[in-house]
Amino acid sequence: MIRHVKTLLAATAMLGFALAETAAAADLIISSGLGKPHLWVGAHMDPFADAIEKGSGGKVKFTRFYAGELSAVGRELDSLNGGVIGVAAPLLAPYHEGRFPLSDVSQLPTYGTTSPMVTRAYQKLLDSDVKLKDGKTFYQYEIGGKGIRVWALGATAPYSISTVKKVLKEPQDFNGTPLRAGSALHTIMLGKLGATPVTIPGPQAFEAASRGTIEGLVIAISDWPSYSLQQVLRHSIVDVSIGHWESYLAISDAAWAQLTDEQKQLFDKTAREIALKNAEQWESRVGTVREDSIKKYGGSFVSINTLPAAMKGHIETAAANTWTAWIEKTEAAGHPAKAAARLYAELIQAEGGKLPAGVAEYLAK
């Protein structure tokens, strides 16, 4: 009898150990709506997944899907909540119309900002305990109740104004010029410039520019190779950031629950580290793409500081008015845009970035 009891206890212990091992292991589906050439995939999603698999000793494993194979751009949140995927890398918030009303804040025009600066500022925005509305922080307002947990990606390089044939020299040159806008905030900026905004996803931009449907784009120069745009874009106005595109690395609450406390700590630490490494790559690639464009295609890059005074002033005024227009439009929809913009402005200025003239005074009112 004693021998049978010992055997039963041993078997029970082994079963408990096996169950603990099973609980400690997680097989997650990670998905991107973007292709491998994009820096948010080859230089973020894959390095992140590799680091987690290695750091967890193989206990956390990923099945990877690319280029919308499983979840398309703008469908990431539904796919996470529906259990189709466990991790979205990235979740592109601006393509989820109305569902992340404050997340465009990093696209507000600034001066002297870099990808690492914006990445640090945005992660601090997510971590901030400053209450924006109804006792909610930025994270609680934007992410709470959506069934996910998020971290900042490496922010894109600053967005510039680039054209195919038309050289933008004077304010009137913008009038009626069809330029691609990647988000609602870019649409505001282009409208303030007098251009005609055309909202299309990045993967459609090459064909649209080649056919003359659009004359140019508002896009990060380091993102050109993702869509082969260096083959068509020839003229760029730089040194005024039409904001930086930020979005999220996101995991569903259901997938998060599969992880042990130690694995959750690894996930958090790795997400933050990979984002900053990714930001460095976004920034360093700007020079490479510019040099390639100049040598192979005769591309030109003109600083806003060398433009005629009227043109420089026109762009600077449009940049400042974009802050006001986005805030007032978003506030009218019931969201605390001014509080969010004020907090982001403080964080980006602490990183060394500058605001358009008059914006600080407007935010202080």
Side-chain angles (χ1 to χ4, degrees), residues 28-86:
L28 304 177
I29 293 176
I30 188 169
S31 168
S32 176
L34 304 172
K36 288 186 178 182
H38 200 283
L39 284 177
W40 277 339
V41 182
H44 187 281
M45 172 179 155
D46 282 334
F48 170 79
D50 291 343
I52 293 292
E53 289 178 342
K54 180 178 180 181
S56 68
K59 294 291 182 61
V60 180
K61 297 180 181 179
F62 293 99
T63 301
R64 310 179 194 193
F65 290 88
Y66 305 93
E69 293 173 320
L70 199 57
S71 181
V73 168
R75 300 295 301 171
E76 300 97 346
L77 183 59
D78 291 338
S79 296
L80 286 166
N81 289 332
V84 176
I85 63 176

Side-chain angles (χ1 to χ4, degrees), residues 127-211:
D127 293 337
S128 174
D129 59 4
V130 174
K131 304 297 190 293
L132 303 184
K133 184 179 181 180
D134 298 332
K136 294 182 179 181
T137 65
F138 180 89
Y139 189 99
Q140 290 167 339
Y141 195 91
E142 282 292 275
I143 309 303
K146 290 185 171 69
I148 59 174
R149 294 170 183 266
V150 307
W151 292 260
L153 300 172
T156 68
Y159 270 46
S160 302
I161 304 169
S162 302
T163 54
V164 179
K165 296 178 179 179
K166 191 171 186 178
V167 180
L168 303 171
K169 295 180 179 179
E170 301 177 352
Q172 56 265 35
D173 291 336
F174 281 107
N175 294 345
T177 300
L179 298 176
R180 177 258 182 177
S183 70
L185 207 148
H186 292 155
T187 298
I188 293 173
M189 176 70 180
L190 290 176
K192 295 298 181 183
L193 288 169
T196 299
V198 180
T199 304
I200 56 174
Q204 298 177 19
F206 176 83
E207 183 176 0
S210 299
R211 291 185 174 186

